[in-house]
Amino acid sequence: MTDRHFSPSATVLAAGPFAHPFFVHALIAGTGIAVAAGLVGYFLVLRAQVFTGDALSHTAFTGALAALALGWDLRLGLFATCVAVALLLGTLGHGARADDVAIGSLFSWVLGLGVFFLTLYTTSRSTSNGNAGVTVLFGSIFGLSAAQSYVAAGVAAGLAGALLLIARPLLFASTDPEVAAAHGVPVRLLGFGFLVLVGACAAEATQAIGSLLLLALLAAPAGAAHRLTTRPYPALALAAGLALGEMWCGLAVSYYVPKVPPSFAIVATATLVHAASYAVRPPRRPLPAPTA
């Protein structure tokens, strides 16, 4: 990832976003990442594993800094660490679902490891890329090159395709694991497969909005979709569609208002849409207790 400062003049803005390669690259990568994050996020919310997504997003920070400190490719650190921690989380719980205590303990340890690698990187490596830690935390989607954007879109398309391939049995295993297991559905194997997809999605999306803000793209569109419809497949499509729309809207806002970072604009849009879903469909009041 490279960092690129964006401060266009009025003439540059008038040319339109598609006249600039950095915006086209961001749009290509962001489109794939948003669709994958929306699909993965739907199952994270359905399986009550949002905390797992949060832990893996922060794991991306540690993996990226470990790669930088060791002089490896950034993407290698991101994917290796996120997938390895995802599989480890799967072994800590029943049906590949770790409980909150196990996730929290591992989460804290991995984040502490990230601080160690940050110190190691800043004290032993060249200071020419001193903003690398900030880039990993908050993303740099306008800094992606053409090759990076095509790779990001290709990986995201593979993740989305893999998730759609297992969507039907994963849905069954997520809503009623005991009955699914009785019907021969490999519930535990599906759980591990899903965690690998979450880890890979977290690693890929870190480039766009950073490890600190990634959870918003995973959880907010999916949370809104769950509120707006109870039908699983329309909700799955809606989660992907909302994430895509929020990504596009965030990129456009950041382009026309250059002082607004793209990661903030994307996350803010996702949060506003999620909040609006409460106005469209308010929370249901609990039923009154039956009287004798």
Side-chain angles (χ1 to χ4, degrees), residues 51-266:
F51 192 28
T52 299
D54 188 26
L56 289 175
S57 65
H58 287 77
T59 296
F61 169 72
T62 299
L65 287 174
L68 289 172
L70 298 173
W72 297 350
D73 184 84
L74 186 70
R75 297 174 64 87
L76 176 63
L78 282 170
F79 279 88
T81 309
C82 288
V83 171
V85 172
L87 290 174
L88 180 58
L89 285 174
T91 64
L92 298 178
H94 177 69
R97 297 193 201 191
D99 58 47
D100 288 349
V101 175
I103 297 171
S105 300
L106 185 62
F107 175 17
S108 302
W109 181 75
V110 169
L111 201 55
L113 204 57
V115 175
F116 166 72
F117 282 119
L118 177 61
T119 303
L120 187 65
Y121 173 66
T122 53
T123 56
S124 63
R125 292 281 167 183
S126 168
T127 57
S128 59
N129 194 14
N131 293 326
V134 176
T135 302
V136 171
L137 284 173
F138 301 106
S140 180
I141 196 168
F142 279 162
L144 296 178
S145 66
Q148 288 172 329
S149 66
Y150 290 132
V151 170
V155 171
L159 293 174
L163 187 70
L164 291 175
L165 197 63
I166 64 171
R168 186 179 177 83
L170 183 61
L171 183 63
F172 193 8
S174 301
T175 53
D176 201 338
E178 288 79 14
V179 175
H183 282 75
V185 176
V187 174
R188 185 171 174 79
L189 184 61
L190 281 170
F192 275 105
F194 174 65
L195 286 175
V196 169
L197 292 177
V198 176
C201 186
E204 192 60 51
T206 297
Q207 296 179 98
I209 59 174
S211 59
L212 271 186
L213 305 177
L214 166 61
L215 184 63
L217 196 59
L218 286 172
H226 274 275
R227 292 202 56 77
L228 296 175
T229 176
T230 56
R231 298 165 60 195
Y233 290 114
L236 185 63
L238 183 58
L242 287 176
L244 182 59
E246 290 156 5
M247 173 67 75
W248 287 352
C249 182
L251 292 177
V253 168
S254 185
Y255 174 82
Y256 286 108
V257 187
K259 290 187 178 180
V260 177
S263 55
F264 168 75
I266 295 164

